Amino acid sequence: DAKTTQPNSMESNEEEPVHLPCNHSTISGTDYIHWYRQLPSQGPEYVIHGLTSNVNNRMASLAIAEDRKSSTLILHRATLRDAAVYYCILRLNTPLVFGKGTRLSVIA
Amino acid sequence: DADVTQTPRNRITKTGKRIMLECSQTKGHDRMYWYRQDPGLGLRLIYYSFDVKDINKGEISDGYSVSRQAQAKFSLSLESAIPNQTALYFCATSDGFRDSATDTQYFGPGTRLTVL
């Protein structure tokens, strides 16, 4: 599986937008970009996924660079409940392979 | 009721004991997975099953075995537990109706296992 690079941790103020970056310079043309998050003491949960175009859903937006070598997960208004570890995962017909992710702290 | 359940939620056992962790799902999904998570690390895949007759090893299958008793049930066994198998274990399911690259995995609440 192609590798992703994420910052170990980030901090955000409550009700402000958060941009979580992910670098994946070795991505192949058919790898999908998935984001999952893990809230404290819970199993991971799906956030969003995309291939080439930007994607929006009720939880977040995914912005994918034109060359697909990087992507950004956007939380439009961070809440305390968004404090979690966020995983950026490249996927091609395989189960999810998790890295260490980015630990997001949200400050009230 | 939760769609993916794991039993037990917590277990303390001794080195050399046989342990079984169970996973049940009511989502009607064909695909099931077992992961372990060590402190500060991401999840690592142990085994996965795409249907009742299909079992595949993951990244770290040594020391573990699995049984897919039915579509809804997938059990993980530690034949002879050792202390470095102390971890948080997660079960997951996915529908597999679409391409494996895009189906969503749904995770259970986890089982915290301590091997003394």
Side-chain angles (χ1 to χ4, degrees), chain B residues 10 14 17 22 24 36 41 56 83 100:
Chain B
N10 288 282
K14 294 182 178 180
K17 294 289 188 181
E22 299 188 344
S24 295
R36 71 174 273 176
L41 299 179
N56 304 281
S100 293

Side-chain angles (χ1 to χ4, degrees), chain B residues 1-7 9 22-26 34 91 108-109:
Chain B
D1 289 333
D3 295 319
V4 184
T5 57
Q6 294 184 231
T7 55
R9 295 293 312 279
E22 299 188 344
C23 178
S24 295
Q25 51 111 350
T26 58
W34 275 105
C91 174

Side-chain angles (χ1 to χ4, degrees), chain A residues 9-70:
Chain A
S9 62
M10 292 184 63
E11 210 171 72
S12 173
N13 293 319
E14 195 177 14
E15 298 190 5
E16 289 187 357
V18 181
H19 291 231
L20 297 162
C22 181
N23 287 317
H24 29 78
S25 58
T26 60
I27 191 170
S28 74
T30 46
D31 282 333
Y32 278 80
I33 302 161
H34 288 249
W35 284 82
Y36 279 69
R37 72 179 186 180
Q38 187 174 17
L39 302 172
S41 302
Q42 294 187 27
E45 64 176 354
Y46 169 80
V47 178
I48 201 166
H49 78 272
L51 183 62
T52 56
S53 304
N54 294 345
V55 184
N56 300 296
N57 67 19
R58 65 174 180 81
M59 289 180 71
S61 296
L62 176 59
I64 301 172
E66 194 170 335
D67 63 5
R68 299 204 336 119
K69 293 186 176 182
S70 65

Side-chain angles (χ1 to χ4, degrees), chain B residues 19-81:
Chain B
I19 295 296
M20 179 180 285
L21 308 183
E22 299 188 344
C23 178
S24 295
Q25 51 111 350
T26 58
K27 299 184 78 67
H29 289 170
D30 284 327
R31 299 181 175 190
M32 299 187 74
Y33 312 82
W34 275 105
Y35 291 86
R36 71 174 273 176
Q37 185 173 34
D38 296 282
L41 299 179
L43 284 71
R44 291 184 291 169
L45 184 64
I46 306 173
Y47 271 96
Y48 62 102
S49 169
F50 279 2
D51 65 41
V52 174
K53 297 181 181 179
D54 175 77
I55 301 288
N56 304 281
K57 292 183 177 181
E59 177 189 357
I60 53 162
S61 59
D62 287 348
Y64 301 95
S65 63
V66 291
S67 172
R68 185 79 185 268
Q69 301 94 321
Q71 185 201 40
K73 295 186 183 295
F74 192 35
S75 300
L76 176 72
S77 294
L78 288 68
E79 297 301 327
S80 180

